[in-house]
Amino acid sequence: MTVAAPVPPHGLAVCGGGISGLALAVLARARGVADVIVLEAAGRPGGKIQTEWRDGFCCEWGPQGFLDNVPEMLALVSRLGLDGELVRADDAAGDRFIARNGQLRQVPLSPPAFLTSDVLSLPGRLRVLLEPFQRRGAEEESVFTFAARRIGREAAEVLVDAMVTGVYAGDPAQLSLPATFPKMRAMEREYGSLVRAMLARRKSGGGGPAGPGGTLTTLRAGMQQLTDALASALGPAVRLNAPVAGVTRSEHGFSVRLADGSELATRQVAVAVPPGAAAQALAPLLPNGAVAALQGIPYAKVAVVMTGYRAPRPFAHPTRGFGFLVPGRERRRILGTIFCDATFPAQAPAGATLLRTLLGGARDPGALDLPDGELLALVRRELDHFLGGDPAPDFVRIIRHDYGIPQYTLGHLARLDEIERAAAAVPGLHLLGNGFHGIAANACVVEAAKAAAAVATVAGAA
Ligand SMILES: Cc1cc2nc3c(=O)[nH]c(=O)nc-3n(C[C@H](O)[C@H](O)[C@H](O)COP(=O)(O)OP(=O)(O)OC[C@H]3O[C@@H](n4cnc5c(N)ncnc54)[C@H](O)[C@@H]3O)c2cc1C
C-alpha cells in the first residue's frame, strides 16, 4: 500500500477574488511569498468589477473608473504592463450637474462661479461664506451634522448629500464623517475651517476637502481589463467556484474549509470578502465581539440601469459633462445619471449616447424589488423629467447589487478597532477589502499593498 505524501501548506490563501484579493495575491507574490492561492466563490474573478460590451456599448456593472493620483494603483497598472491601456476621462466630463427644485444646475468649479451660481439659493450661498466662523464638532458625528454645522443646512442637503449619494449611495445622516471623509475631519482639526484649510493646501498643492484631486481613469476594455490582468498573472493560483466556509487554526498555521467540505492548509490567510461573509468565515477564529462588529457593517443595495441611444442628441439636454446627481430632498427615485459617452467617448458607438442611472442606495432599497420593466419605465420617466425627452433606448442592461456599497455608519471606527485588534491577535491572519478603510478601487489597492507587506514580513519571520 502506498501512502500519499502530505500536501505542503500554501504560503498564503486569499479568500475572495475581487480587486482587493487579486491585488494582494499579485503583490504578495512579487514580494517573494511562495505558493499563493486565491479562493473565489463565484465562477469569475473580479468581484464588483465586471465589464460587458454589447453592440459597441460598454456596460460597467460596478466602478466606472478610478482617480489617477494614487501611486499604489498606478504602480499596479504598470506592473501588469497596462500603462498604455489607460484612458482618462474627456475634459468635457469636468462639468457636473446637481438637481435642485426639480431642475439640473451646473456645479460651479471656482469660488467666483459659486457666488453667482444657482446651485443654492442666495441665503444658502451666503451661509457657506460663514464657514470659517463655525465652531468645531464632536470627535464622531454624521456627515450631515458636520456639513450642516459648517456650511449650513441647504448646502448640506444639496451639495453634500449629492456627493454622498455619488460616492456611497448613502444617507449622510447615517454615515460617520471620520470614517467616510477623514480628510474633512483632519482639515477642521488642523485649521479650524475647511476654507482656511483649502487655501493653505492650495498654496502647497494639496487636494480638496473630499479627498485628493485626480482624473477619472479606466482601461481601454473597461475596468475588468484590470482584474482580468491580475487573474491572468496569477493563472491557476485563482480557484473559482470555491466559497470559503470557515477558517481555523492548525499546526501549520490555518486550515481553510471550503463549502464542499474540503480543507486546505496554509501558513497565512487573508480574508478579502465582504464583512458579512468574513464574519461567517472567521466565526471559529475571532471573539464574538469582533464577529458582531463585522456583521455590523451594512451594505447599500444599488441598481445600475444602462440605456444607450443610437440617435445623436436624443434629449433636450446636451448630456455633455460627467452627469448629474439627485439629492434626497428632491424626493425623486433615481440617485443620479452618468453621461458615459461624454466621459469616455470610446464606450459607445460614434455619435451614440450612453447613460448609466443609479437607483436604490440607503435612501430607496425597495427600488431593487421592482421588476425590470418597471425599473426601466421609472428610469425613462426620470430621464424625461431631468433631461427632457423620452427616446426609446436601443440598448438596455439592468444590474442589481444586493450588497452594493458598504456603509461606514456611525460607530464604524469603533467597530474597525474591535475587528483589527482581534485580527492582530492572530498572527498570519490579514483582513482587507472595501468594507473597512475605503470603498474606492484605489483604496482597495492601497489596502492590498499594505497587506502584501504584512504578509511578506510574517513569511520572512517564519
Ligand atoms: C455600482 C457600483 C459602482 C461603483 N463605482 C465605483 C467607482 O466609480 N470607482 C471606484 O473606485 N469604486 C467604485 N465602486 C466600488 C468598488 O467597485 C468596490 O469597492 C471594489 O470593487 C470592491 O472590491 P473588493 O475586492 O474589496 O470586494 P468585491 O469586489 O466585493 O470582492 C469580494 C469577492 O469575494 C467573493 N466572496 C464572497 N464571499 C466569499 C466566500 N465565502 N469565499 C470566497 N469568496 C467569497 C465575492 O464573490 C467577490 O468576488 C462601485 C461599486 C458599485 C457596486
Side-chain angles (χ1 to χ4, degrees), residues 20 25 52 63 72 79-80 91 103 114 120 158 191 206 230 235 243 272 292 309 361 387 412 438-439:
S20 299
E52 205 181 308
E72 288 85 345
R79 177 180 294 284
L80 297 166
D91 286 347
Q103 282 181 9
F114 174 74
L120 298 182
V158 176
Y191 296 93
L230 287 166
Y309 313 83
L387 300 178
H412 184 79
I439 61 146

PDB file of all heavy atoms in Angstrom, residues 20 25 52 63 72 79-80 91 103 114 120 158 191 206 230 235 243 272 292 309 361 387 412 438-439:
ATOM      1  N   SER A  20      -9.441  43.530  -4.364  1.00  0.00           N
ATOM      2  CA  SER A  20      -8.624  43.511  -3.139  1.00  0.00           C
ATOM      3  C   SER A  20      -7.823  42.217  -3.052  1.00  0.00           C
ATOM      4  O   SER A  20      -6.603  42.240  -2.846  1.00  0.00           O
ATOM      5  CB  SER A  20      -9.512  43.626  -1.899  1.00  0.00           C
ATOM      6  OG  SER A  20     -10.222  44.833  -1.898  1.00  0.00           O
ATOM      7  N   ALA A  25      -2.785  39.107  -3.836  1.00  0.00           N
ATOM      8  CA  ALA A  25      -2.083  37.887  -4.269  1.00  0.00           C
ATOM      9  C   ALA A  25      -0.912  38.240  -5.188  1.00  0.00           C
ATOM     10  O   ALA A  25       0.202  37.722  -5.023  1.00  0.00           O
ATOM     11  CB  ALA A  25      -3.072  36.950  -4.965  1.00  0.00           C
ATOM     12  N   GLU A  52     -19.036  44.610 -19.562  1.00  0.00           N
ATOM     13  CA  GLU A  52     -19.701  43.839 -20.621  1.00  0.00           C
ATOM     14  C   GLU A  52     -19.837  44.772 -21.823  1.00  0.00           C
ATOM     15  O   GLU A  52     -20.239  45.922 -21.644  1.00  0.00           O
ATOM     16  CB  GLU A  52     -21.083  43.522 -20.048  1.00  0.00           C
ATOM     17  CG  GLU A  52     -21.779  42.338 -20.568  1.00  0.00           C
ATOM     18  CD  GLU A  52     -23.136  42.215 -19.877  1.00  0.00           C
ATOM     19  OE1 GLU A  52     -23.198  42.241 -18.627  1.00  0.00           O
ATOM     20  OE2 GLU A  52     -24.132  42.134 -20.597  1.00  0.00           O
ATOM     21  N   PRO A  63     -17.573  49.714 -10.742  1.00  0.00           N
ATOM     22  CA  PRO A  63     -16.913  51.009 -10.911  1.00  0.00           C
ATOM     23  C   PRO A  63     -16.712  51.374 -12.367  1.00  0.00           C
ATOM     24  O   PRO A  63     -16.443  50.529 -13.213  1.00  0.00           O
ATOM     25  CB  PRO A  63     -15.564  50.817 -10.215  1.00  0.00           C
ATOM     26  CG  PRO A  63     -15.357  49.360 -10.128  1.00  0.00           C
ATOM     27  CD  PRO A  63     -16.704  48.723 -10.073  1.00  0.00           C
ATOM     28  N   GLU A  72      -0.117  53.645  -5.530  1.00  0.00           N
ATOM     29  CA  GLU A  72      -0.207  52.173  -5.445  1.00  0.00           C
ATOM     30  C   GLU A  72      -0.981  51.615  -6.630  1.00  0.00           C
ATOM     31  O   GLU A  72      -0.642  50.562  -7.172  1.00  0.00           O
ATOM     32  CB  GLU A  72      -0.889  51.746  -4.139  1.00  0.00           C
ATOM     33  CG  GLU A  72      -0.045  51.951  -2.891  1.00  0.00           C
ATOM     34  CD  GLU A  72      -0.147  53.363  -2.318  1.00  0.00           C
ATOM     35  OE1 GLU A  72      -0.644  54.274  -3.021  1.00  0.00           O
ATOM     36  OE2 GLU A  72       0.275  53.555  -1.170  1.00  0.00           O
ATOM     37  N   ARG A  79       2.892  47.390 -13.247  1.00  0.00           N
ATOM     38  CA  ARG A  79       3.376  46.011 -13.032  1.00  0.00           C
ATOM     39  C   ARG A  79       2.705  45.040 -13.999  1.00  0.00           C
ATOM     40  O   ARG A  79       3.301  44.072 -14.462  1.00  0.00           O
ATOM     41  CB  ARG A  79       3.085  45.602 -11.582  1.00  0.00           C
ATOM     42  CG  ARG A  79       3.457  44.185 -11.226  1.00  0.00           C
ATOM     43  CD  ARG A  79       3.126  43.880  -9.784  1.00  0.00           C
ATOM     44  NE  ARG A  79       3.922  44.637  -8.856  1.00  0.00           N
ATOM     45  CZ  ARG A  79       5.189  44.381  -8.556  1.00  0.00           C
ATOM     46  NH1 ARG A  79       5.797  43.370  -9.133  1.00  0.00           N
ATOM     47  NH2 ARG A  79       5.847  45.129  -7.702  1.00  0.00           N
ATOM     48  N   LEU A  80       1.427  45.328 -14.316  1.00  0.00           N
ATOM     49  CA  LEU A  80       0.669  44.444 -15.202  1.00  0.00           C
ATOM     50  C   LEU A  80       0.910  44.781 -16.680  1.00  0.00           C
ATOM     51  O   LEU A  80       0.315  44.171 -17.566  1.00  0.00           O
ATOM     52  CB  LEU A  80      -0.826  44.545 -14.878  1.00  0.00           C
ATOM     53  CG  LEU A  80      -1.213  44.091 -13.467  1.00  0.00           C
ATOM     54  CD1 LEU A  80      -2.625  44.539 -13.121  1.00  0.00           C
ATOM     55  CD2 LEU A  80      -1.079  42.568 -13.337  1.00  0.00           C
ATOM     56  N   ASP A  91     -12.076  65.904 -21.203  1.00  0.00           N
ATOM     57  CA  ASP A  91     -12.125  67.193 -20.479  1.00  0.00           C
ATOM     58  C   ASP A  91     -13.559  67.625 -20.221  1.00  0.00           C
ATOM     59  O   ASP A  91     -13.867  68.264 -19.219  1.00  0.00           O
ATOM     60  CB  ASP A  91     -11.424  68.284 -21.289  1.00  0.00           C
ATOM     61  CG  ASP A  91      -9.912  68.105 -21.235  1.00  0.00           C
ATOM     62  OD1 ASP A  91      -9.453  67.307 -20.383  1.00  0.00           O
ATOM     63  OD2 ASP A  91      -9.213  68.738 -22.056  1.00  0.00           O
ATOM     64  N   GLN A 103     -34.783  70.876 -11.060  1.00  0.00           N
ATOM     65  CA  GLN A 103     -34.030  71.200 -12.280  1.00  0.00           C
ATOM     66  C   GLN A 103     -32.540  70.960 -12.093  1.00  0.00           C
ATOM     67  O   GLN A 103     -32.028  71.103 -10.980  1.00  0.00           O
ATOM     68  CB  GLN A 103     -34.224  72.682 -12.611  1.00  0.00           C
ATOM     69  CG  GLN A 103     -35.553  72.940 -13.255  1.00  0.00           C
ATOM     70  CD  GLN A 103     -35.718  74.410 -13.595  1.00  0.00           C
ATOM     71  OE1 GLN A 103     -34.780  75.188 -13.496  1.00  0.00           O
ATOM     72  NE2 GLN A 103     -36.920  74.776 -13.984  1.00  0.00           N
ATOM     73  N   PHE A 114     -19.227  80.081  -7.882  1.00  0.00           N
ATOM     74  CA  PHE A 114     -20.154  79.645  -6.836  1.00  0.00           C
ATOM     75  C   PHE A 114     -21.043  80.813  -6.393  1.00  0.00           C
ATOM     76  O   PHE A 114     -22.250  80.654  -6.188  1.00  0.00           O
ATOM     77  CB  PHE A 114     -19.374  79.087  -5.636  1.00  0.00           C
ATOM     78  CG  PHE A 114     -20.247  78.746  -4.468  1.00  0.00           C
ATOM     79  CD1 PHE A 114     -21.057  77.617  -4.499  1.00  0.00           C
ATOM     80  CD2 PHE A 114     -20.284  79.556  -3.348  1.00  0.00           C
ATOM     81  CE1 PHE A 114     -21.885  77.299  -3.431  1.00  0.00           C
ATOM     82  CE2 PHE A 114     -21.103  79.255  -2.272  1.00  0.00           C
ATOM     83  CZ  PHE A 114     -21.906  78.126  -2.316  1.00  0.00           C
ATOM     84  N   LEU A 120     -27.374  76.826  -5.249  1.00  0.00           N
ATOM     85  CA  LEU A 120     -28.000  77.078  -3.951  1.00  0.00           C
ATOM     86  C   LEU A 120     -28.719  78.417  -4.026  1.00  0.00           C
ATOM     87  O   LEU A 120     -28.377  79.278  -4.859  1.00  0.00           O
ATOM     88  CB  LEU A 120     -26.953  77.169  -2.834  1.00  0.00           C
ATOM     89  CG  LEU A 120     -26.092  75.940  -2.527  1.00  0.00           C
ATOM     90  CD1 LEU A 120     -25.151  76.244  -1.360  1.00  0.00           C
ATOM     91  CD2 LEU A 120     -26.954  74.724  -2.208  1.00  0.00           C
ATOM     92  N   VAL A 158     -28.017  69.809  -0.264  1.00  0.00           N
ATOM     93  CA  VAL A 158     -27.873  69.782  -1.726  1.00  0.00           C
ATOM     94  C   VAL A 158     -26.478  69.262  -2.107  1.00  0.00           C
ATOM     95  O   VAL A 158     -26.343  68.195  -2.709  1.00  0.00           O
ATOM     96  CB  VAL A 158     -28.115  71.189  -2.331  1.00  0.00           C
ATOM     97  CG1 VAL A 158     -27.873  71.172  -3.839  1.00  0.00           C
ATOM     98  CG2 VAL A 158     -29.526  71.666  -2.011  1.00  0.00           C
ATOM     99  N   TYR A 191      -7.011  73.194  10.903  1.00  0.00           N
ATOM    100  CA  TYR A 191      -7.118  74.616  10.519  1.00  0.00           C
ATOM    101  C   TYR A 191      -8.328  75.315  11.137  1.00  0.00           C
ATOM    102  O   TYR A 191      -8.496  76.517  10.985  1.00  0.00           O
ATOM    103  CB  TYR A 191      -7.205  74.751   8.996  1.00  0.00           C
ATOM    104  CG  TYR A 191      -5.965  74.279   8.277  1.00  0.00           C
ATOM    105  CD1 TYR A 191      -5.862  72.976   7.811  1.00  0.00           C
ATOM    106  CD2 TYR A 191      -4.882  75.136   8.073  1.00  0.00           C
ATOM    107  CE1 TYR A 191      -4.724  72.526   7.165  1.00  0.00           C
ATOM    108  CE2 TYR A 191      -3.733  74.704   7.420  1.00  0.00           C
ATOM    109  CZ  TYR A 191      -3.664  73.397   6.963  1.00  0.00           C
ATOM    110  OH  TYR A 191      -2.526  72.967   6.320  1.00  0.00           O
ATOM    111  N   GLY A 206      -2.099  70.766  -2.349  1.00  0.00           N
ATOM    112  CA  GLY A 206      -2.910  69.646  -1.861  1.00  0.00           C
ATOM    113  C   GLY A 206      -4.283  69.602  -2.515  1.00  0.00           C
ATOM    114  O   GLY A 206      -4.646  70.482  -3.287  1.00  0.00           O
ATOM    115  N   LEU A 230      -4.931  40.882 -13.543  1.00  0.00           N
ATOM    116  CA  LEU A 230      -4.477  40.348 -12.252  1.00  0.00           C
ATOM    117  C   LEU A 230      -4.694  38.834 -12.213  1.00  0.00           C
ATOM    118  O   LEU A 230      -3.801  38.072 -11.815  1.00  0.00           O
ATOM    119  CB  LEU A 230      -5.251  41.007 -11.099  1.00  0.00           C
ATOM    120  CG  LEU A 230      -4.889  42.461 -10.784  1.00  0.00           C
ATOM    121  CD1 LEU A 230      -5.951  43.092  -9.881  1.00  0.00           C
ATOM    122  CD2 LEU A 230      -3.525  42.545 -10.112  1.00  0.00           C
ATOM    123  N   GLY A 235      -2.810  33.087 -12.882  1.00  0.00           N
ATOM    124  CA  GLY A 235      -3.040  31.810 -13.569  1.00  0.00           C
ATOM    125  C   GLY A 235      -3.812  30.821 -12.709  1.00  0.00           C
ATOM    126  O   GLY A 235      -4.817  31.176 -12.085  1.00  0.00           O
ATOM    127  N   PRO A 243     -16.160  28.711  -2.645  1.00  0.00           N
ATOM    128  CA  PRO A 243     -16.545  29.535  -1.491  1.00  0.00           C
ATOM    129  C   PRO A 243     -15.940  29.020  -0.189  1.00  0.00           C
ATOM    130  O   PRO A 243     -15.988  27.820   0.078  1.00  0.00           O
ATOM    131  CB  PRO A 243     -18.083  29.421  -1.450  1.00  0.00           C
ATOM    132  CG  PRO A 243     -18.470  28.352  -2.406  1.00  0.00           C
ATOM    133  CD  PRO A 243     -17.286  27.979  -3.246  1.00  0.00           C
ATOM    134  N   ALA A 272     -10.538  38.655   2.099  1.00  0.00           N
ATOM    135  CA  ALA A 272     -10.848  39.837   1.284  1.00  0.00           C
ATOM    136  C   ALA A 272     -12.255  39.716   0.714  1.00  0.00           C
ATOM    137  O   ALA A 272     -12.504  40.018  -0.442  1.00  0.00           O
ATOM    138  CB  ALA A 272      -9.820  39.970   0.154  1.00  0.00           C
ATOM    139  N   ALA A 292     -19.385  40.148  15.682  1.00  0.00           N
ATOM    140  CA  ALA A 292     -20.570  41.019  15.666  1.00  0.00           C
ATOM    141  C   ALA A 292     -20.230  42.346  14.987  1.00  0.00           C
ATOM    142  O   ALA A 292     -21.049  42.916  14.251  1.00  0.00           O
ATOM    143  CB  ALA A 292     -21.061  41.254  17.093  1.00  0.00           C
ATOM    144  N   TYR A 309     -28.510  54.967 -26.782  1.00  0.00           N
ATOM    145  CA  TYR A 309     -29.348  55.528 -27.862  1.00  0.00           C
ATOM    146  C   TYR A 309     -28.456  55.764 -29.073  1.00  0.00           C
ATOM    147  O   TYR A 309     -27.425  56.439 -28.968  1.00  0.00           O
ATOM    148  CB  TYR A 309     -29.971  56.863 -27.419  1.00  0.00           C
ATOM    149  CG  TYR A 309     -30.591  56.797 -26.039  1.00  0.00           C
ATOM    150  CD1 TYR A 309     -29.803  56.956 -24.886  1.00  0.00           C
ATOM    151  CD2 TYR A 309     -31.957  56.574 -25.881  1.00  0.00           C
ATOM    152  CE1 TYR A 309     -30.354  56.879 -23.625  1.00  0.00           C
ATOM    153  CE2 TYR A 309     -32.520  56.499 -24.604  1.00  0.00           C
ATOM    154  CZ  TYR A 309     -31.711  56.654 -23.491  1.00  0.00           C
ATOM    155  OH  TYR A 309     -32.260  56.585 -22.228  1.00  0.00           O
ATOM    156  N   GLY A 361     -29.737  52.490  -3.169  1.00  0.00           N
ATOM    157  CA  GLY A 361     -28.947  53.148  -2.139  1.00  0.00           C
ATOM    158  C   GLY A 361     -29.647  53.064  -0.790  1.00  0.00           C
ATOM    159  O   GLY A 361     -30.716  52.466  -0.640  1.00  0.00           O
ATOM    160  N   LEU A 387     -33.838  65.468 -18.210  1.00  0.00           N
ATOM    161  CA  LEU A 387     -33.094  65.752 -19.445  1.00  0.00           C
ATOM    162  C   LEU A 387     -33.990  66.224 -20.578  1.00  0.00           C
ATOM    163  O   LEU A 387     -33.508  66.756 -21.583  1.00  0.00           O
ATOM    164  CB  LEU A 387     -32.328  64.495 -19.898  1.00  0.00           C
ATOM    165  CG  LEU A 387     -31.300  63.951 -18.903  1.00  0.00           C
ATOM    166  CD1 LEU A 387     -30.645  62.678 -19.444  1.00  0.00           C
ATOM    167  CD2 LEU A 387     -30.234  65.005 -18.599  1.00  0.00           C
ATOM    168  N   HIS A 412     -18.484  53.176  12.963  1.00  0.00           N
ATOM    169  CA  HIS A 412     -17.633  52.344  12.098  1.00  0.00           C
ATOM    170  C   HIS A 412     -16.211  52.246  12.648  1.00  0.00           C
ATOM    171  O   HIS A 412     -15.621  51.164  12.663  1.00  0.00           O
ATOM    172  CB  HIS A 412     -17.616  52.917  10.676  1.00  0.00           C
ATOM    173  CG  HIS A 412     -16.846  52.092   9.694  1.00  0.00           C
ATOM    174  ND1 HIS A 412     -17.362  50.956   9.113  1.00  0.00           N
ATOM    175  CD2 HIS A 412     -15.574  52.206   9.205  1.00  0.00           C
ATOM    176  CE1 HIS A 412     -16.459  50.416   8.304  1.00  0.00           C
ATOM    177  NE2 HIS A 412     -15.363  51.161   8.348  1.00  0.00           N
ATOM    178  N   GLY A 438     -12.042  52.189   3.023  1.00  0.00           N
ATOM    179  CA  GLY A 438     -12.266  52.983   1.813  1.00  0.00           C
ATOM    180  C   GLY A 438     -12.951  52.130   0.778  1.00  0.00           C
ATOM    181  O   GLY A 438     -12.607  50.955   0.620  1.00  0.00           O
ATOM    182  N   ILE A 439     -13.921  52.717   0.105  1.00  0.00           N
ATOM    183  CA  ILE A 439     -14.692  51.884  -0.830  1.00  0.00           C
ATOM    184  C   ILE A 439     -14.193  51.995  -2.268  1.00  0.00           C
ATOM    185  O   ILE A 439     -14.600  51.221  -3.118  1.00  0.00           O
ATOM    186  CB  ILE A 439     -16.190  52.248  -0.809  1.00  0.00           C
ATOM    187  CG1 ILE A 439     -16.396  53.692  -1.231  1.00  0.00           C
ATOM    188  CG2 ILE A 439     -16.808  51.970   0.533  1.00  0.00           C
ATOM    189  CD1 ILE A 439     -17.662  53.878  -1.983  1.00  0.00           C
TER     190      ILE A 439
END
